[in-house]
Amino acid sequence: MRVKPLGDRVVIKRLEAEEKTKSGIVLTGTAKERPQEAEVLAVGPGTIIDGVRVELEVKVGDKVLFSKYAGTEVKLDGEEYIILKQEDILAVVE
Amino acid sequence: MRVKPLGDRVVIKRLEAEEKTKSGIVLTGTAKERPQEAEVLAVGPGTIIDGVRVELEVKVGDKVLFSKYAGTEVKLDGEEYIILKQEDILAVVE
Amino acid sequence: MRVKPLGDRVVIKRLEAEEKTKSGIVLTGTAKERPQEAEVLAVGPGTIIDGVRVELEVKVGDKVLFSKYAGTEVKLDGEEYIILKQEDILAVVE
Amino acid sequence: MRVKPLGDRVVIKRLEAEEKTKSGIVLTGTAKERPQEAEVLAVGPGTIIDGVRVELEVKVGDKVLFSKYAGTEVKLDGEEYIILKQEDILAVVE
Amino acid sequence: MRVKPLGDRVVIKRLEAEEKTKSGIVLTGTAKERPQEAEVLAVGPGTIIDGVRVELEVKVGDKVLFSKYAGTEVKLDGEEYIILKQEDILAVVE
Amino acid sequence: MRVKPLGDRVVIKRLEAEEKTKSGIVLTGTAKERPQEAEVLAVGPGTIIDGVRVELEVKVGDKVLFSKYAGTEVKLDGEEYIILKQEDILAVVE
Amino acid sequence: MRVKPLGDRVVIKRLEAEEKTKSGIVLTGTAKERPQEAEVLAVGPGTIIDGVRVELEVKVGDKVLFSKYAGTEVKLDGEEYIILKQEDILAVVE
C-alpha cells in the first residue's frame, strides 16, 4: 500500500454490506456509536514507551470492528480508506 | 469466540432476568448509573505498562457487574454482545 | 462475600443511624459533600504501579468515612452495598 | 485520634479567633480564597511514588494555613474537624 | 532551509492540485477534517523521553497527509510554509 | 520567617512603587496578566520527582517577577505576604 | 541581561518591521495565530526530567518565530520584552 501511517495509526478499508452478511455480523446500537467492520491495509510502526518501541496489536489483513466516526477518510487511486488510531479499533473478528 | 478484543477491552454477554433472579442479585440506583450483570466471553491481551504486559483481572466465564451504558453493543450470529474496557467492570460475582 | 471488586475498588455497607450514635460521629457539611460511615466488606487486589502491585490501604472490617455520592449502589440477597474506588474513602474510624 | 486519614489526606482542627490574635496572623483576600489557620491532628501514610512511599511534609501538632473551602467537615465526639489533602495546605506557621 | 523547527515540529509545503492529480490522491471528508498533501522541508530534533532523544518518524522530502487546519502558516522569501507538530501528520505517501 | 511554605510553594513580599522606580522596571500588558515585582522571603523544600527531591530554583532574597493574580495573600504581624507556587514566578531580576 | 527566566522560560525581544524586511520573512495567517519574529535575550536553566536537567533548544542570540499572544510583556529600562515558555516558540530562523 502507498500510504504509510505514522505512530499508532492504521489504514483500513470499510467492508461492504455483502461481506458483512457473509460473516454474519450485524452491528447494532445508536447510529452515533455504531461500530463498523473493516480490513486493515497498513499499520504504523507503533509508539515509543519507556525507550522501547511497542508494536501495534493489529496487522495487515485483520478484519476489525471500529468506531464509525473515528479517524479521517482519504480517497487514493479511486478507493476510499480511513486512517485512524489503533485505540479506535474495538476488536479483531476471526 | 470469533471476536478478539484489543488491549484492555472485554467482550461480555448480558445475563437475562431469570439468571439474575437465580443469583439473587437485584441492582438498584438511578437508571443512568445502574450496573448490570453479564458473563465474560473474551478478554483482550492487556496493556503494556513500563515495558511489561499487564494481563486483565477478569477471565472468560466470569460473572461481572458493569456500568449499564459503558461500551459498544455488537450483534454477531444473531446474538448481542458488548465490547467495553475492563475499567468499566465494577466487580466479579461468585 | 460473593462480590469481588476489581482493581482499587472496595465494597462497603452503609452503617445505620444507631451505629453512628454509638460511635459518637455526626457528619456535617452541605448535603452534597457530607461523608457517611460504612464498613468495608471486600477489597480489590489493588493496582499495578511500575510493575509492582500496590495493595489497598483499607481492609475488610474497617469502619470508613466516604463521600456520600461516590460509587454505585448494588442490592445482593436483599442487602444494599456500595462499590466505590478507594480514593473516595476519606479516612478509617477506629 | 480516632480518625485515620487515607493516602495524602490530613485531619485538621480550625483554630479559633483568640488563637489567631495571639499568633498575630490575620488572613486577608477574597472570602472565597481566604486561607485559615488550623492544627494538624492526624496525617495519612502518604502515597506510593515509583514504588517508594513518600511521607507527608506536615506532622501532628503543626499549625498550618489551608484554603478555606478545601476538604470535608466531620463532627466527631462533639468536635468539628476537616479532612483535606496535603496539597490544600499552603504553609506551616511556626 | 532557513527555518529550523523546535522539538517535534515539522516545516511542510502544501502540494498544489497538479501534483495531487499526478499522485492520484483525492482527499474526501468534511471540509473541517479533510487532510491535505504536503512535502516535508525541515524536521525538528525530536523530543527527550526518559532521558533519550526520540527522533521524528518523518524526514525531509517525505510526502505526507496532514490535517488541514493544524499548525501555523508562515511566508518566507515569498513562499508559504506550515509549521506543525508531527502528531498532526497522518501518514507518509509513497 | 515564621511561615514555611510546603512543596514547591514560595512566600514573597510585593515590592512598592519606589523600589520599582529605583530598579528601573516598569511592567506593562493587560491588567489581568501584568506581572509584579516581589522579594522571596521563604521557599518550600521542593517536590519529590522519581524518588529524588528537586529543590526550588529561587532562593530567599531573590527579586522576582510573578503573575499578579497568582497565589494567596496572607497578613502576618501587620505585613502582607503572598504564598504562590514557583511555577507562577516568571523570572528573577538581578 | 538583568532578567533571568525560570525553568523552560525564555526572554525575547520582538524584531521591528525593518528587520523583518531585511530577513525576507513575512508572516501570514489569521491575526490570532500569526507568529512573530524575535531575538532571544535570555534562556532559563531548563527543566528536570527523570532526574536529569534538560537544557533548552534555543540559545541567546537566536532569531525565533513565536506565537503572537504567548507569554507576558515586561518593560525594563525603557525596553519591552516578552517572557514566554520555549514550547510557544515555533522555530529558529537562520
Side-chain angles (χ1 to χ4, degrees):
Chain A
M1 171 156 231
R2 290 174 43 207
V3 177
K4 305 292 180 193
L6 290 192
D8 56 351
R9 287 193 178 85
V10 176
V11 180
I12 61 177
K13 182 165 175 50
R14 190 180 274 112
L15 294 182
E16 297 307 320
E18 295 90 333
E19 300 181 61
K20 278 193 211 159
T21 304
K22 196 170 59 183
S23 74
I25 289 190
V26 181
L27 301 166
T28 64
T30 71
K32 195 184 172 191
E33 301 171 18
R34 186 175 44 180
Q36 301 210 335
E37 202 173 0
E39 184 176 348
V40 175
L41 298 186
V43 301
T47 48
I48 306 270
I49 300 178
D50 294 308
V52 181
R53 183 167 293 276
V54 178
E55 298 193 351
L56 298 189
E57 292 183 56
V58 297
K59 58 182 188 303
V60 173
D62 280 354
K63 298 292 197 324
V64 297
L65 298 176
F66 69 102
S67 300
K68 185 181 182 180
Y69 291 97
T72 306
E73 297 193 348
V74 178
K75 185 180 277 190
L76 174 65
D77 298 335
E79 296 278 339
E80 284 197 359
Y81 303 101
I82 295 166
I83 301 176
L84 79 173
K85 298 202 169 196
Q86 182 182 256
E87 69 189 20
D88 290 320
I89 295 181
L90 301 172
V92 174
V93 182
E94 299 187 342
Chain B
M1 170 156 233
R2 291 174 43 207
V3 177
K4 306 293 180 193
L6 290 192
D8 55 352
R9 287 193 179 84
V10 176
V11 179
I12 60 177
K13 183 167 175 49
R14 190 180 275 112
L15 294 181
E16 297 306 321
E18 295 89 335
E19 300 181 62
K20 277 193 210 159
T21 304
K22 195 171 59 184
S23 74
I25 289 191
V26 182
L27 301 166
T28 64
T30 71
K32 195 184 170 190
E33 301 171 18
R34 187 174 46 180
Q36 301 211 335
E37 202 173 0
E39 184 177 348
V40 175
L41 298 185
V43 300
T47 49
I48 306 270
I49 300 179
D50 295 308
V52 180
R53 182 167 294 275
V54 177
E55 298 193 351
L56 298 189
E57 291 183 56
V58 297
K59 59 182 187 305
V60 174
D62 279 354
K63 298 292 196 326
V64 297
L65 298 177
F66 70 101
S67 299
K68 184 181 181 180
Y69 291 97
T72 306
E73 298 193 349
V74 177
K75 187 181 276 190
L76 174 64
D77 298 336
E79 296 278 339
E80 283 196 359
Y81 304 101
I82 295 166
I83 301 176
L84 78 173
K85 298 204 168 194
Q86 181 182 258
E87 69 190 20
D88 290 321
I89 295 181
L90 302 172
V92 175
V93 182
E94 298 188 343
Chain C
M1 178 168 218
R2 291 174 43 207
V3 177
K4 305 292 180 194
L6 291 191
D8 55 351
R9 286 192 179 85
V10 175
V11 180
I12 61 177
K13 183 166 175 48
R14 191 181 274 112
L15 294 182
E16 298 305 320
E18 295 89 336
E19 300 181 62
K20 277 193 211 160
T21 304
K22 196 170 57 185
S23 74
I25 289 190
V26 183
L27 302 165
T28 64
T30 71
K32 196 183 170 191
E33 301 171 18
R34 186 174 46 179
Q36 300 210 335
E37 202 174 0
E39 184 177 348
V40 175
L41 299 186
V43 301
T47 49
I48 306 270
I49 300 179
D50 294 307
V52 180
R53 182 167 294 277
V54 178
E55 298 194 351
L56 298 189
E57 292 183 56
V58 297
K59 59 182 187 306
V60 174
D62 279 355
K63 298 293 196 323
V64 297
L65 297 177
F66 70 102
S67 299
K68 184 180 182 181
Y69 291 96
T72 306
E73 298 193 348
V74 177
K75 186 181 274 190
L76 173 65
D77 299 336
E79 297 277 340
E80 284 197 358
Y81 303 101
I82 295 166
I83 302 175
L84 79 174
K85 298 204 168 194
Q86 182 182 259
E87 68 190 20
D88 290 322
I89 296 181
L90 302 172
V92 175
V93 183
E94 298 187 343
Chain D
M1 174 163 223
R2 289 174 44 206
V3 177
K4 305 293 180 192
L6 291 191
D8 55 351
R9 286 193 180 85
V10 176
V11 180
I12 62 176
K13 183 165 174 49
R14 191 181 275 111
L15 294 181
E16 297 306 320
E18 295 89 335
E19 301 182 61
K20 276 192 212 162
T21 305
K22 196 171 57 185
S23 74
I25 290 189
V26 182
L27 301 165
T28 64
T30 71
K32 195 184 171 191
E33 299 170 19
R34 186 175 44 180
Q36 300 211 335
E37 202 173 0
E39 184 178 349
V40 175
L41 299 185
V43 301
T47 49
I48 306 270
I49 300 178
D50 295 306
V52 180
R53 181 168 295 277
V54 177
E55 299 193 351
L56 298 189
E57 291 184 58
V58 297
K59 58 183 188 304
V60 173
D62 279 355
K63 299 293 196 323
V64 297
L65 298 176
F66 69 101
S67 300
K68 183 180 184 182
Y69 291 96
T72 307
E73 298 192 350
V74 177
K75 185 181 275 190
L76 174 65
D77 299 336
E79 297 279 339
E80 283 196 1
Y81 303 101
I82 295 165
I83 302 175
L84 78 174
K85 298 204 168 194
Q86 182 182 261
E87 69 189 21
D88 290 321
I89 295 181
L90 301 172
V92 174
V93 182
E94 299 186 344
Chain E
M1 172 160 228
R2 290 173 43 206
V3 177
K4 304 293 179 192
L6 291 192
D8 55 351
R9 287 192 177 85
V10 175
V11 180
I12 60 177
K13 183 165 174 51
R14 190 180 275 112
L15 294 182
E16 298 307 321
E18 295 89 332
E19 300 182 61
K20 278 194 211 158
T21 304
K22 194 171 58 183
S23 74
I25 289 190
V26 182
L27 301 166
T28 65
T30 71
K32 194 183 172 192
E33 302 171 17
R34 186 175 44 179
Q36 301 211 335
E37 202 173 359
E39 184 176 349
V40 175
L41 298 186
V43 300
T47 49
I48 306 270
I49 300 178
D50 295 307
V52 180
R53 182 168 294 277
V54 178
E55 298 192 352
L56 298 189
E57 291 183 55
V58 297
K59 59 183 188 301
V60 173
D62 279 354
K63 297 294 198 323
V64 296
L65 298 176
F66 69 102
S67 300
K68 184 182 182 180
Y69 291 97
T72 306
E73 297 193 349
V74 178
K75 185 181 278 191
L76 174 64
D77 299 335
E79 296 278 338
E80 284 196 359
Y81 303 101
I82 295 167
I83 302 176
L84 79 173
K85 297 202 168 196
Q86 182 181 257
E87 69 189 20
D88 290 321
I89 295 181
L90 302 171
V92 174
V93 182
E94 299 186 343
Chain F
M1 176 168 221
R2 290 174 43 207
V3 177
K4 304 292 180 192
L6 292 191
D8 55 351
R9 286 192 179 85
V10 176
V11 179
I12 61 176
K13 183 165 174 51
R14 191 181 275 111
L15 294 181
E16 297 307 320
E18 296 88 334
E19 300 182 61
K20 276 193 212 161
T21 304
K22 194 171 58 183
S23 75
I25 289 189
V26 182
L27 301 165
T28 64
T30 72
K32 196 184 171 192
E33 300 171 19
R34 185 175 45 181
Q36 301 211 334
E37 201 173 1
E39 183 177 349
V40 175
L41 298 186
V43 301
T47 49
I48 307 270
I49 299 177
D50 295 306
V52 180
R53 182 168 293 277
V54 178
E55 298 192 352
L56 298 189
E57 290 184 58
V58 297
K59 58 182 188 304
V60 174
D62 279 355
K63 298 293 198 323
V64 297
L65 298 177
F66 70 102
S67 300
K68 182 180 184 182
Y69 291 95
T72 307
E73 297 193 348
V74 177
K75 184 181 276 191
L76 174 65
D77 299 335
E79 296 278 338
E80 283 197 0
Y81 303 101
I82 295 165
I83 302 175
L84 77 173
K85 298 203 168 195
Q86 182 181 259
E87 69 189 19
D88 291 320
I89 295 180
L90 302 172
V92 175
V93 182
E94 299 185 345
Chain G
M1 176 167 223
R2 290 174 42 206
V3 177
K4 304 292 179 192
L6 291 191
D8 55 351
R9 286 192 179 85
V10 176
V11 180
I12 61 177
K13 183 164 173 53
R14 191 180 275 113
L15 294 181
E16 298 307 320
E18 296 88 334
E19 300 182 62
K20 277 193 212 159
T21 304
K22 194 170 59 183
S23 75
I25 288 189
V26 182
L27 301 166
T28 64
T30 71
K32 195 184 171 192
E33 301 171 18
R34 186 174 45 179
Q36 301 212 335
E37 202 173 1
E39 183 177 349
V40 175
L41 298 185
V43 300
T47 50
I48 306 271
I49 299 177
D50 296 305
V52 180
R53 181 167 295 277
V54 178
E55 298 192 352
L56 299 189
E57 291 183 56
V58 297
K59 59 183 189 303
V60 173
D62 279 354
K63 297 293 197 325
V64 296
L65 298 177
F66 69 101
S67 300
K68 183 181 182 181
Y69 292 96
T72 306
E73 297 193 350
V74 178
K75 184 181 279 191
L76 174 65
D77 299 335
E79 296 278 338
E80 285 196 359
Y81 304 100
I82 295 166
I83 302 176
L84 78 173
K85 298 202 168 197
Q86 182 181 258
E87 68 190 19
D88 291 321
I89 295 181
L90 302 172
V92 175
V93 182
E94 299 185 345

